[in-house]
Amino acid sequence: MKVDTGARGSFEKKIEQAVNALQAKDYVAAREYLRYAMLENENNNAPEVHNLYGVLAELTGDLGLAGKHYRAAYALDPAYKPSSRNLERITSFYYSPWDTNPDFGDQPETEEVTNYVLEFDNRNIGHLRKRSQ
């Protein structure tokens, strides 16, 4: 397998190629794309790489390693939702290896709607108020 390292060798492109390879169950290519993505990420602080390494480990049956990578992604960026969802899914009591649906992080996040707003009165005491629709 030859990996393109030319002009289109950006980090985002390698992540996209790794996701495509994982979805096609081409684990050798996915590992190579992730390796190149990690090399291109100068600060090694992108949670996407560890999340996808976790997906790779999960799909190949190594849940222990998958959990380590999901936790590493969470440690790098606690706001990165795909790693949190994947970690929660594999540690759930109801997890089934035959019903694997990992979050690759390739879909845009939707904004969570909060139904309550925190307001403070003149004595600086906070109260929850139901948000008007």
Side-chain angles (χ1 to χ4, degrees):
M1 194 226 40
K2 183 165 171 48
V3 176
D4 172 31
T5 57
R8 293 183 2 160
S10 70
F11 174 77
E12 291 81 13
K13 182 66 177 170
K14 294 301 176 208
I15 292 295
E16 180 184 330
Q17 290 170 323
V19 168
N20 292 337
L22 285 168
Q23 290 172 340
K25 300 192 183 327
D26 186 358
Y27 302 137
V28 173
R31 184 172 278 116
E32 283 299 307
Y33 288 128
L34 288 172
R35 187 171 68 86
Y36 280 109
M38 191 171 273
L39 290 173
E40 289 183 16
N41 183 18
E42 297 171 0
N43 299 328
N44 287 330
N45 61 357
E48 295 90 347
V49 174
H50 282 286
N51 183 59
L52 291 176
Y53 267 126
V55 170
L56 175 63
E58 182 181 352
L59 293 175
T60 57
D62 191 348
L63 288 182
L65 183 60
K68 289 178 184 180
H69 280 292
Y70 294 148
R71 283 191 298 276
Y74 179 81
L76 288 171
D77 185 1
Y80 185 65
K81 300 286 185 191
S83 61
S84 299
R85 283 191 287 267
N86 286 332
L87 184 59
E88 182 178 338
R89 186 177 39 74
I90 69 166
T91 57
S92 168
F93 180 73
Y94 299 105
Y95 175 76
S96 170
W98 299 280
D99 189 24
T100 303
N101 190 15
D103 188 345
F104 295 99
D106 58 340
Q107 301 298 319
E109 293 291 325
T110 59
E111 185 176 330
E112 294 179 18
V113 177
T114 56
N115 293 328
Y116 293 91
V117 177
L118 181 61
E119 292 182 334
F120 294 93
D121 62 12
N122 58 356
R123 295 178 296 178
N124 206 22
I125 297 176
H127 302 279
L128 287 177
R129 178 183 57 83
K130 190 165 179 102
R131 182 184 299 257
S132 59
Q133 299 297 333

Short mmCIF file of all heavy atoms in Angstrom, two decimals, residues 88-110:
data_model
loop_
_atom_site.label_atom_id
_atom_site.label_comp_id
_atom_site.label_asym_id
_atom_site.label_seq_id
_atom_site.Cartn_x
_atom_site.Cartn_y
_atom_site.Cartn_z
N GLU A 88 -17.42 5.60 26.69
CA GLU A 88 -18.64 5.26 27.41
C GLU A 88 -19.29 4.00 26.82
O GLU A 88 -19.77 3.14 27.54
CB GLU A 88 -19.62 6.43 27.35
CG GLU A 88 -20.89 6.19 28.12
CD GLU A 88 -21.82 7.38 28.09
OE1 GLU A 88 -21.37 8.51 27.85
OE2 GLU A 88 -23.03 7.17 28.30
N ARG A 89 -19.26 3.90 25.50
CA ARG A 89 -19.89 2.75 24.84
C ARG A 89 -19.18 1.45 25.17
O ARG A 89 -19.82 0.45 25.49
CB ARG A 89 -19.92 2.98 23.32
CG ARG A 89 -20.66 1.93 22.54
CD ARG A 89 -20.71 2.24 21.06
NE ARG A 89 -19.48 2.81 20.53
CZ ARG A 89 -18.36 2.12 20.32
NH1 ARG A 89 -18.33 0.85 20.57
NH2 ARG A 89 -17.28 2.73 19.86
N ILE A 90 -17.82 1.43 25.10
CA ILE A 90 -17.12 0.17 25.33
C ILE A 90 -17.07 -0.22 26.80
O ILE A 90 -16.82 -1.38 27.11
CB ILE A 90 -15.69 0.16 24.73
CG1 ILE A 90 -14.77 1.10 25.47
CG2 ILE A 90 -15.72 0.43 23.24
CD1 ILE A 90 -13.30 0.89 25.13
N THR A 91 -17.29 0.72 27.70
CA THR A 91 -17.29 0.39 29.13
C THR A 91 -18.69 0.16 29.66
O THR A 91 -18.86 -0.09 30.85
CB THR A 91 -16.59 1.49 29.94
OG1 THR A 91 -17.25 2.73 29.70
CG2 THR A 91 -15.12 1.59 29.58
N SER A 92 -19.68 0.23 28.80
CA SER A 92 -21.06 0.02 29.21
C SER A 92 -21.31 -1.46 29.47
O SER A 92 -20.74 -2.34 28.81
CB SER A 92 -22.01 0.51 28.11
OG SER A 92 -23.32 0.08 28.36
N PHE A 93 -22.19 -1.74 30.40
CA PHE A 93 -22.58 -3.11 30.70
C PHE A 93 -23.24 -3.77 29.50
O PHE A 93 -23.15 -4.98 29.32
CB PHE A 93 -23.54 -3.11 31.90
CG PHE A 93 -24.01 -4.48 32.29
CD1 PHE A 93 -23.16 -5.36 32.93
CD2 PHE A 93 -25.30 -4.88 32.00
CE1 PHE A 93 -23.59 -6.62 33.29
CE2 PHE A 93 -25.74 -6.14 32.35
CZ PHE A 93 -24.89 -7.01 32.99
N TYR A 94 -23.86 -2.99 28.65
CA TYR A 94 -24.61 -3.51 27.51
C TYR A 94 -23.77 -3.58 26.24
O TYR A 94 -24.32 -3.83 25.17
CB TYR A 94 -25.85 -2.66 27.26
CG TYR A 94 -26.78 -2.68 28.44
CD1 TYR A 94 -26.87 -1.58 29.28
CD2 TYR A 94 -27.52 -3.81 28.74
CE1 TYR A 94 -27.70 -1.61 30.38
CE2 TYR A 94 -28.36 -3.84 29.84
CZ TYR A 94 -28.45 -2.75 30.66
OH TYR A 94 -29.25 -2.77 31.75
N TYR A 95 -22.46 -3.38 26.33
CA TYR A 95 -21.61 -3.41 25.14
C TYR A 95 -21.60 -4.81 24.53
O TYR A 95 -21.50 -5.81 25.24
CB TYR A 95 -20.18 -3.01 25.48
CG TYR A 95 -19.23 -3.15 24.31
CD1 TYR A 95 -19.24 -2.21 23.29
CD2 TYR A 95 -18.37 -4.22 24.21
CE1 TYR A 95 -18.40 -2.34 22.20
CE2 TYR A 95 -17.53 -4.36 23.12
CZ TYR A 95 -17.54 -3.41 22.13
OH TYR A 95 -16.71 -3.54 21.05
N SER A 96 -21.72 -4.87 23.22
CA SER A 96 -21.64 -6.13 22.50
C SER A 96 -20.64 -5.97 21.36
O SER A 96 -20.78 -5.07 20.54
CB SER A 96 -23.01 -6.49 21.92
OG SER A 96 -22.88 -7.59 21.04
N PRO A 97 -19.63 -6.84 21.28
CA PRO A 97 -18.64 -6.72 20.20
C PRO A 97 -19.23 -6.97 18.81
O PRO A 97 -18.63 -6.61 17.81
CB PRO A 97 -17.59 -7.78 20.54
CG PRO A 97 -18.22 -8.68 21.52
CD PRO A 97 -19.33 -7.94 22.19
N TRP A 98 -20.42 -7.56 18.74
CA TRP A 98 -21.04 -7.82 17.44
C TRP A 98 -21.88 -6.64 16.98
O TRP A 98 -22.29 -6.58 15.85
CB TRP A 98 -21.91 -9.07 17.52
CG TRP A 98 -21.09 -10.25 17.86
CD1 TRP A 98 -20.30 -10.98 17.00
CD2 TRP A 98 -20.91 -10.83 19.14
NE1 TRP A 98 -19.65 -11.98 17.68
CE2 TRP A 98 -20.01 -11.90 19.01
CE3 TRP A 98 -21.41 -10.54 20.40
CZ2 TRP A 98 -19.61 -12.68 20.07
CZ3 TRP A 98 -21.01 -11.32 21.46
CH2 TRP A 98 -20.13 -12.38 21.29
N ASP A 99 -22.12 -5.71 17.87
CA ASP A 99 -22.94 -4.53 17.55
C ASP A 99 -22.08 -3.27 17.71
O ASP A 99 -22.44 -2.35 18.41
CB ASP A 99 -24.16 -4.49 18.46
CG ASP A 99 -25.15 -3.43 18.02
OD1 ASP A 99 -25.13 -3.06 16.84
OD2 ASP A 99 -25.93 -2.97 18.87
N THR A 100 -20.93 -3.26 17.05
CA THR A 100 -19.99 -2.15 17.18
C THR A 100 -20.37 -1.03 16.23
O THR A 100 -20.52 -1.25 15.04
CB THR A 100 -18.56 -2.63 16.87
OG1 THR A 100 -18.26 -3.70 17.75
CG2 THR A 100 -17.56 -1.53 17.09
N ASN A 101 -20.52 0.16 16.79
CA ASN A 101 -20.80 1.34 15.99
C ASN A 101 -19.98 2.50 16.54
O ASN A 101 -20.51 3.38 17.20
CB ASN A 101 -22.30 1.66 16.03
CG ASN A 101 -22.67 2.71 15.02
OD1 ASN A 101 -21.90 3.01 14.12
ND2 ASN A 101 -23.83 3.30 15.19
N PRO A 102 -18.66 2.50 16.28
CA PRO A 102 -17.81 3.54 16.86
C PRO A 102 -18.06 4.91 16.24
O PRO A 102 -18.54 5.03 15.12
CB PRO A 102 -16.40 3.05 16.56
CG PRO A 102 -16.54 2.19 15.36
CD PRO A 102 -17.90 1.58 15.44
N ASP A 103 -17.73 5.92 17.02
CA ASP A 103 -17.81 7.30 16.54
C ASP A 103 -16.45 7.67 15.96
O ASP A 103 -15.48 7.81 16.69
CB ASP A 103 -18.18 8.23 17.69
CG ASP A 103 -18.48 9.65 17.24
OD1 ASP A 103 -18.12 9.99 16.09
OD2 ASP A 103 -19.06 10.40 18.03
N PHE A 104 -16.39 7.80 14.65
CA PHE A 104 -15.13 8.11 13.97
C PHE A 104 -14.76 9.58 14.10
O PHE A 104 -13.64 9.96 13.79
CB PHE A 104 -15.23 7.76 12.49
CG PHE A 104 -15.40 6.29 12.22
CD1 PHE A 104 -16.64 5.76 11.96
CD2 PHE A 104 -14.30 5.45 12.23
CE1 PHE A 104 -16.81 4.41 11.71
CE2 PHE A 104 -14.45 4.09 11.98
CZ PHE A 104 -15.71 3.57 11.73
N GLY A 105 -15.69 10.41 14.52
CA GLY A 105 -15.42 11.84 14.62
C GLY A 105 -15.48 12.54 13.29
O GLY A 105 -14.98 13.66 13.16
N ASP A 106 -16.10 11.91 12.30
CA ASP A 106 -16.15 12.50 10.96
C ASP A 106 -17.43 13.29 10.70
O ASP A 106 -17.55 13.90 9.66
CB ASP A 106 -15.97 11.42 9.89
CG ASP A 106 -17.03 10.33 9.98
OD1 ASP A 106 -17.64 10.19 11.05
OD2 ASP A 106 -17.21 9.61 8.99
N GLN A 107 -18.35 13.29 11.64
CA GLN A 107 -19.59 14.04 11.50
C GLN A 107 -19.54 15.29 12.37
O GLN A 107 -19.02 15.24 13.49
CB GLN A 107 -20.80 13.18 11.93
CG GLN A 107 -20.95 11.91 11.13
CD GLN A 107 -21.17 12.17 9.66
OE1 GLN A 107 -21.91 13.07 9.30
NE2 GLN A 107 -20.52 11.38 8.82
N PRO A 108 -20.08 16.40 11.89
CA PRO A 108 -20.07 17.61 12.71
C PRO A 108 -20.96 17.43 13.95
O PRO A 108 -21.97 16.74 13.90
CB PRO A 108 -20.63 18.69 11.78
CG PRO A 108 -21.31 17.96 10.69
CD PRO A 108 -20.70 16.60 10.59
N GLU A 109 -20.54 18.04 15.02
CA GLU A 109 -21.27 17.96 16.28
C GLU A 109 -22.48 18.88 16.22
O GLU A 109 -22.42 19.98 15.66
CB GLU A 109 -20.39 18.38 17.45
CG GLU A 109 -19.25 17.43 17.72
CD GLU A 109 -19.72 16.09 18.26
OE1 GLU A 109 -20.70 16.05 19.02
OE2 GLU A 109 -19.10 15.09 17.91
N THR A 110 -23.57 18.43 16.80
CA THR A 110 -24.74 19.28 16.92
C THR A 110 -24.71 19.95 18.29
O THR A 110 -24.21 19.37 19.26
CB THR A 110 -26.03 18.46 16.78
OG1 THR A 110 -26.05 17.45 17.79
CG2 THR A 110 -26.12 17.83 15.41
#
